[in-house]
Amino acid sequence: MDVRIRATLSFTVSGSALEDGLAEYDELAVDGLLREVIDKAIAVDEIEVAVVEGPNSLEEYDTAQQTATIANS
């Protein structure tokens, strides 16, 4: 019997760790990275991942970092 599991996940990661993780899994976005990690861990048949807060790509991370730098100046 298949079961559906719905979870909410929140985590903090350094910029360099985010870059390394995306590169290791050859992904361009956080949602793709999470999908790959979960699939490799438990062989998921179907998975939906949505980033609802925070950057979903390195470009978005860079933009957020620049905005924070300007706001702190």
Side-chain angles (χ1 to χ4, degrees), residues 6 8-9 31 49-56:
R6 184 177 175 117
T8 300
L9 172 69
D31 54 4
V49 176
V51 174
V52 295
E53 185 178 327
N56 190 36

Side-chain angles (χ1 to χ4, degrees), residues 25-41:
Y25 282 88
D26 197 27
E27 287 292 333
L28 298 176
V30 174
D31 54 4
L33 171 64
L34 293 173
R35 207 181 294 76
E36 287 293 321
V37 168
I38 294 168
D39 184 40
K40 287 187 186 302

Side-chain angles (χ1 to χ4, degrees), residues 11-61:
F11 59 93
T12 302
V13 62
S14 70
S16 60
L18 179 61
E19 283 185 48
D20 292 347
L22 289 169
E24 182 176 335
Y25 282 88
D26 197 27
E27 287 292 333
L28 298 176
V30 174
D31 54 4
L33 171 64
L34 293 173
R35 207 181 294 76
E36 287 293 321
V37 168
I38 294 168
D39 184 40
K40 287 187 186 302
I42 57 175
V44 176
D45 291 328
E46 293 181 31
I47 184 167
E48 298 171 18
V49 176
V51 174
V52 295
E53 185 178 327
N56 190 36
S57 67
L58 291 178
E59 290 82 17
E60 291 176 12
Y61 170 76

